Amino acid sequence: MELNTKVNIAGVELKNPITVASGTFGSGAEYGEFVDLNRLGAVTTKGVANVPWEGNNTPRVAETYGGMLNAVGLQNPGYDVFAKRDIPFLKQYDTKIIVNVCGRTTEDYVDVVEKLGDEAVDLLEINISCPNVKEGGIAFGQDPKAVEAITREIKKVAKQPVIMKLSPNVTDITVMAKAAEAGGADALSLINTITGMKIDVERQKFVLANKTGGLSGPAIHPVAVRMIYQVANAVNLPIIGMGGVTSAEDALEMILVGASAVAVGTTNFHDPAATIKIVEGIEDYMRRHQVSDINDLIGIVK
């Protein structure tokens, strides 16, 4: 049986529904010797700011039951290095490029998005879990008015489709999804990490210098599936699902409740070949269930 694994995200066709979660794959070069990037639907880059970010103080990563906490703080070399070094590297491969954009003010985001307009990248993923320094540090993604406003400002200048990456650290994620849709978002990705904390009981201190960090890994997967289901039934936008995906079964759960594509994150750290195994696992599932087109599976569990 001939399989069609192509999916469409806001007019951009991916050869299969698997990409990587921002911040877990660098910008591709680190994994190039372990993974054939040509086999991925897309590569999602580490967050890119308009200027270099140093990130948070160490220690900033800790293992937890079923996952990890990170408070890296979106350390990145800034747009200029990214454009000169990482985009040319990724253009060598037959895969789509999703650039994750971060910022501390709306102007920061707009600056990066404007500059990317002239680059050969396919989609922009906007990380609105960043603290809005002009609003006292609350994340853009925790205020629906801020979500709609920043989406609208970015859409005014963006030349590529805009994916708004939603934070799960809210009372009702569908409110944020609807705000992004109202602002003109072309697609959504969810979920980002869940805020957590770890204590060293012997030293009686916080494990992370930042006190809190973002929880990722298998522990958050059921939460992610639930939120994807809610959002898929609340808005009419394509969704890239993420959160604790370690297997083809995990990815298929997200697809069945409404995700058009799936990003693999934390599991890359202990199994660099996980993405390829998941691509092959989805193909095996389609053959076993006599499904010739992956799109026939998207959102069929209601």
Side-chain angles (χ1 to χ4, degrees):
M1 179 173 63
E2 190 171 336
L3 301 180
N4 174 40
T5 57
K6 294 175 183 176
V7 297
N8 192 291
I9 303 291
V12 177
E13 186 178 84
L14 279 57
K15 68 176 71 173
N16 64 58
I18 299 303
T19 182
V20 293
S22 176
T24 66
F25 209 74
S27 289
E30 294 91 330
Y31 282 80
E33 62 185 286
F34 304 110
V35 180
D36 180 1
L37 303 184
N38 294 303
R39 297 189 63 189
L40 300 180
V43 171
T44 304
T45 70
K46 185 167 172 52
V48 179
N50 58 342
V51 294
W53 285 12
E54 291 186 0
N56 293 325
N57 292 330
T58 58
R60 54 191 191 180
V61 175
E63 289 190 51
T64 65
Y65 293 118
M68 62 177 281
L69 286 168
N70 98 80
V72 172
L74 296 166
Q75 178 179 337
N76 73 94
Y79 174 80
D80 291 341
V81 171
F82 173 78
K84 183 178 180 180
R85 181 190 68 190
D86 297 331
I87 295 176
F89 172 80
L90 289 170
K91 290 308 294 179
Q92 300 174 85
Y93 297 92
D94 177 26
T95 187
K96 301 300 182 184
I97 302 171
I98 304 173
V99 180
N100 183 278
V101 177
C102 52
R104 295 189 175 98
T105 65
T106 300
E107 292 75 20
D108 289 347
Y109 285 97
V110 167
D111 185 23
V112 177
V113 169
E114 281 187 310
K115 289 173 177 173
L116 286 167
D118 297 323
E119 299 288 351
V121 302
D122 301 289
L123 292 156
L124 309 180
E125 181 184 64
I126 312 300
N127 179 6
I128 52 174
S129 295
C130 302
N132 182 351
V133 295
K134 288 189 175 180
E135 299 296 334
I138 185 172
F140 286 92
Q142 291 178 314
D143 177 355
K145 291 181 180 177
V147 172
E148 182 174 349
I150 193 169
T151 305
R152 184 167 282 116
E153 291 305 306
I154 287 169
K155 279 294 294 177
K156 285 179 183 177
V157 300
K159 293 182 181 176
Q160 295 93 346
V162 170
I163 308 163
M164 301 305 287
K165 185 170 185 178
L166 302 184
S167 169
N169 301 307
V170 295
T171 305
D172 184 350
I173 199 165
T174 65
V175 172
M176 305 304 162
K178 290 174 181 176
E181 186 177 45
D186 300 293
L188 302 172
S189 63
L190 61 144
I191 58 174
N192 209 326
T193 55
I194 295 174
T195 305
M197 182 181 284
K198 185 176 173 72
I199 305 298
D200 183 326
V201 296
E202 295 301 324
R203 294 171 60 238
Q204 299 176 3
K205 291 184 177 180
F206 298 102
V207 170
L208 298 175
N210 195 58
K211 297 183 180 177
T212 62
L215 177 65
S216 62
I220 74 168
H221 182 69
V223 178
V225 173
R226 183 261 296 178
M227 289 190 171
I228 291 163
Y229 174 78
Q230 288 179 301
V231 169
N233 287 282
V235 299
N236 190 30
L237 295 173
I239 295 169
I240 301 176
M242 62 196 68
V245 176
T246 63
S247 65
E249 182 179 339
D250 291 340
L252 284 158
E253 278 192 79
M254 292 180 169
I255 291 168
L256 290 170
V257 296
S260 295
V262 174
V264 180
T266 299
T267 198
N268 289 310
F269 296 137
H270 67 84
D271 182 3
T275 47
I276 305 303
K277 294 176 183 176
I278 291 169
V279 169
E280 293 173 346
I282 290 172
E283 292 172 352
D284 288 343
Y285 175 90
M286 291 172 67
R287 291 188 191 96
R288 283 193 293 111
H289 288 266
Q290 296 291 299
V291 176
S292 60
D293 188 341
I294 188 76
N295 293 281
D296 292 340
L297 295 173
I298 296 172
I300 63 171
V301 174
K302 296 293 186 185

